[in-house]
Amino acid sequence: MEIIKNEYYTMTIDDIGDGGEGIGKINGYTMFVKDALIGDEIKVKVIKTKKNYGFGKLEEIITPSPYRTEAPCPIAEKCGGCQIQHFDYKRQLQFKEEKVKNVLERIGGLKDIKVNEVMGMEDPYYYRNKAQFPVGKDKDGNIKIGYYAARSHNIIETEKCYIGDPINEVIIQKVKEYIVENNISVYNEEKHEGLIRHILTRVGYHTKELMVCLVINERKLPKQDALIKKLETIPNIKSICVNTNLEKTNVILGKKTKTIWGQDYITDKIGDVSYKISPVSFYQINPTQTEKLYNTALEYAGLTGEETVWDIYCGIGTITLFLAQKAKKVYGVEIAEQAIRDALSNAELNEIENVEFYVGKAEEVLPSLYEEQNIKADVIVVDPPRKGCDEELLDTIVKMAPKKVVYVSCDPATLARDLKYFGENGYTVSQVQPVDMFPHTLHVETCILIEKK
Ligand code: SAH
């Protein structure tokens, strides 16, 4: 049956695309339909056709999905922060499990791979320990602070966020007062003018310590004392900083950060290890799930106390220090200098001495250490950003021939690509454990155990 543009069809949605749209088939022809959800039976109007797939407009929900629920957040539909808050949480977890399995089979060539049930949250709300709110103006000149709308840079006022920390409401209010009372300008993205660009907040999950960082389009914040006066009364506030970003860019943080009140960092704990977190460093954003993730990585590493371990993409040494409790020696590799400074002070803070760190690109540092010093590893842990590992790095890992590789991934597609490489080079995947770090979004984190054949 040919699918014709502007015609109407009925179909059932059985998948979700990367942008949150519903996906289903009309007689084997794939259709993408915005606002349709897995389980919905719908009437669709075809608006665009390509050779193998098309796009449709949701005309009518004939039978609503049994997995449709009321999103607690009133702006969930508009806001770009959550994509699937209206999707039953248990079904979200099942969807993520299927997604990992499908991608590993399709891209990684791992036929019939066993994927463990996703580790979900008991209470999947208010989990984020970090928030970045853009600051701008509406067309009447009123200050707007909130989140970006989906696929746009329109700011949606966010009074209360259901996945963030409630303290953010207080912080937003105080910063707004500071802006209005002192006539401070806010950033206009198109014109690249105005001062306040973003408010970044971090909260320690166990310690409750609080950091507020204003990202500004100048080197100095005017009426700095007025801001401090507003914020210093918030309980547990430990750090107020200003980050300068003069570029016309979507990247939120600039290179220079100055502490204007209190400490340069806040402290938090994962398990028994304490961490200092500075405004610019990477730190996992869901603390309860991070502990589950790291415990899984530790379990997969199977350490007895005798092992030499490399932790590649180590950030502020989070996994490094976690593993060091059970290993003979752990080496961390990380590109960001500030993160390594934090890692060193975290080692000191916890009196952990069996760790060493290298600054640089993993795909350069590891190959050259291997060539020059013939470094060895019993276990290698990698936790790369979304783009996954460089082939030069994978090549060196395979040459070092560790018994185990633990791969922590935030993108199943690049994970699958890299697993294929391990599969072709003498390794086999023995555990796949997704962890739901980001409830109500489409992201999924996975911890994988790869073992030498
Ligand atoms: N394992 C840490 C951090 C993981 S995030 C944790 O769980 O907290 C990925 C880290 O990789 C970031 O800190 C980023 O700065 C770093 N990174 C990105 N590209 C890199 C590269 N080419 N070489 C080394 N580190 C890199």
Side-chain angles (χ1 to χ4, degrees):
M1 178 172 92
E2 201 195 338
I3 304 303
I4 300 159
K5 201 172 144 182
N6 293 329
E7 287 287 312
Y8 296 87
Y9 300 87
T10 56
M11 63 181 288
T12 304
I13 302 297
D14 51 28
D15 202 356
I16 305 176
D18 293 340
E21 70 282 12
I23 306 175
K25 287 198 158 71
I26 311 172
N27 268 344
Y29 180 83
T30 302
M31 285 291 293
F32 293 85
V33 189
K34 204 174 152 283
D35 300 326
L37 186 64
I38 288 185
D40 279 341
E41 196 203 337
I42 61 166
K43 182 174 166 193
V44 64
K45 180 180 180 185
V46 175
I47 49 175
K48 194 171 177 183
T49 54
K50 301 230 176 192
K51 191 155 173 277
N52 297 315
Y53 60 91
F55 298 90
K57 184 168 168 286
L58 175 63
E59 277 296 315
E60 186 195 334
I61 299 177
I62 299 165
T63 320
S65 166
Y67 312 113
R68 270 189 185 273
T69 58
E70 181 96 30
C73 176
I75 59 163
E77 248 179 68
K78 283 186 275 169
C79 177
C82 294
Q83 295 89 46
I84 47 173
Q85 226 189 69
H86 60 301
F87 190 29
D88 174 70
Y89 185 59
K90 280 222 170 70
R91 190 64 183 80
Q92 285 186 28
L93 297 177
Q94 193 193 329
F95 160 72
K96 290 182 183 185
E97 183 184 320
E98 287 160 4
K99 178 169 167 173
V100 171
K101 188 173 164 65
N102 290 342
V103 173
L104 294 190
E105 289 189 342
R106 191 164 42 84
I107 302 175
L110 295 159
K111 283 277 155 299
D112 298 320
I113 183 84
K114 182 178 176 297
V115 175
N116 299 334
E117 214 173 277
V118 180
M119 288 177 175
M121 292 189 83
E122 250 167 62
D123 178 15
Y125 296 98
Y126 306 108
Y127 60 81
R128 287 189 65 105
N129 58 13
K130 174 184 169 186
Q132 302 179 117
F133 301 104
V135 182
K137 268 187 189 165
D138 65 15
K139 49 184 185 326
D140 303 322
N142 301 310
I143 306 293
K144 266 212 247 183
I145 303 176
Y147 284 111
Y148 289 130
R151 288 174 295 275
S152 95
H153 270 199
N154 290 337
I155 300 170
I156 298 177
E157 288 258 69
T158 313
E159 263 157 33
K160 178 180 161 101
C161 169
Y162 285 76
I163 63 169
D165 194 293
I167 193 70
N168 288 328
E169 292 167 49
V170 179
I171 296 167
I172 288 180
Q173 187 51 40
K174 300 246 182 203
V175 174
K176 205 176 203 173
E177 283 169 19
Y178 155 76
I179 292 172
V180 173
E181 287 165 17
N182 297 284
N183 226 338
I184 308 287
S185 66
V186 299
Y187 189 60
N188 178 320
E189 233 180 8
E190 276 150 36
K191 295 187 181 146
H192 184 48
E193 61 185 33
L195 187 67
I196 313 283
R197 298 177 69 132
H198 272 84
I199 308 169
L200 176 140
T201 71
R202 287 190 188 261
V203 192
Y205 177 72
H206 290 282
T207 60
K208 302 287 168 230
E209 291 182 12
L210 198 64
M211 165 183 284
V212 178
C213 180
L214 292 198
V215 184
I216 64 170
N217 182 30
E218 275 301 337
R219 277 170 231 285
K220 217 172 164 301
L221 185 74
K223 310 267 175 66
Q224 180 175 302
D225 292 342
L227 177 75
I228 293 170
K229 210 163 157 218
K230 292 257 177 225
L231 295 177
E232 68 184 351
T233 53
I234 301 175
N236 296 318
I237 187 144
K238 290 283 182 231
S239 170
I240 306 174
C241 6
V242 171
N243 174 278
T244 294
N245 186 354
L246 304 176
E247 307 291 316
K248 189 167 169 39
T249 167
N250 283 340
V251 178
I252 294 175
L253 287 168
K255 288 208 173 68
K256 269 226 144 41
T257 309
K258 205 173 84 191
T259 305
I260 59 169
W261 183 89
Q263 309 169 353
D264 304 338
Y265 59 87
I266 56 165
T267 312
D268 201 12
K269 281 185 94 153
I270 304 171
D272 294 328
V273 186
S274 296
Y275 298 96
K276 281 184 185 172
I277 306 149
S278 54
V280 294
S281 295
F282 177 89
Y283 187 70
Q284 293 284 2
I285 57 100
N286 184 332
T288 39
Q289 295 302 90
T290 301
E291 191 162 344
K292 292 179 196 166
L293 179 73
Y294 290 177
N295 277 325
T296 307
L298 187 62
E299 182 199 319
Y300 288 175
L303 303 175
T304 63
E306 291 306 310
E307 294 81 4
T308 301
V309 182
W310 283 78
D311 176 20
I312 317 289
Y313 307 95
C314 70
I316 61 168
T318 25
I319 298 179
T320 326
L321 300 180
F322 217 71
L323 297 169
Q325 303 173 93
K326 299 276 167 65
K328 187 164 131 206
K329 178 95 190 211
V330 189
Y331 297 91
V333 182
E334 160 66 42
I335 197 170
E337 247 182 273
Q338 177 59 46
I340 290 296
R341 276 197 289 276
D342 288 351
L344 287 166
S345 86
N346 285 331
E348 202 176 335
L349 177 71
N350 292 281
E351 296 176 2
I352 294 175
E353 286 171 355
N354 56 336
V355 290
E356 223 173 283
F357 294 97
Y358 292 90
V359 186
K361 288 186 182 164
E363 59 276 18
E364 291 172 8
V365 171
L366 211 69
S368 70
L369 285 172
Y370 179 72
E371 287 302 319
E372 287 155 21
Q373 300 173 27
N374 193 24
I375 49 165
K376 302 250 184 297
D378 298 297
V379 179
I380 296 181
V381 178
V382 294
D383 182 5
R386 287 209 190 129
K387 70 179 168 78
C389 299
D390 260 54
E391 200 157 317
E392 286 89 344
L393 173 66
L394 295 176
D395 182 54
T396 302
I397 293 177
V398 167
K399 282 191 196 143
M400 287 171 74
K403 285 196 271 316
K404 291 173 181 184
V405 176
V406 179
Y407 195 131
V408 179
S409 156
C410 56
D411 184 337
T414 55
L415 167 70
R417 179 200 67 201
D418 293 348
L419 290 183
K420 192 164 179 208
Y421 186 92
F422 280 109
E424 290 162 353
N425 288 281
Y427 282 83
T428 159
V429 173
S430 36
Q431 292 282 350
V432 180
Q433 179 62 65
V435 179
D436 193 23
M437 300 287 267
F438 316 101
H440 311 300
T441 77
L442 295 164
H443 296 289
V444 53
E445 190 92 6
T446 315
C447 186
I448 303 266
L449 173 60
I450 306 159
E451 292 185 279
K452 198 153 175 55
K453 275 186 203 147

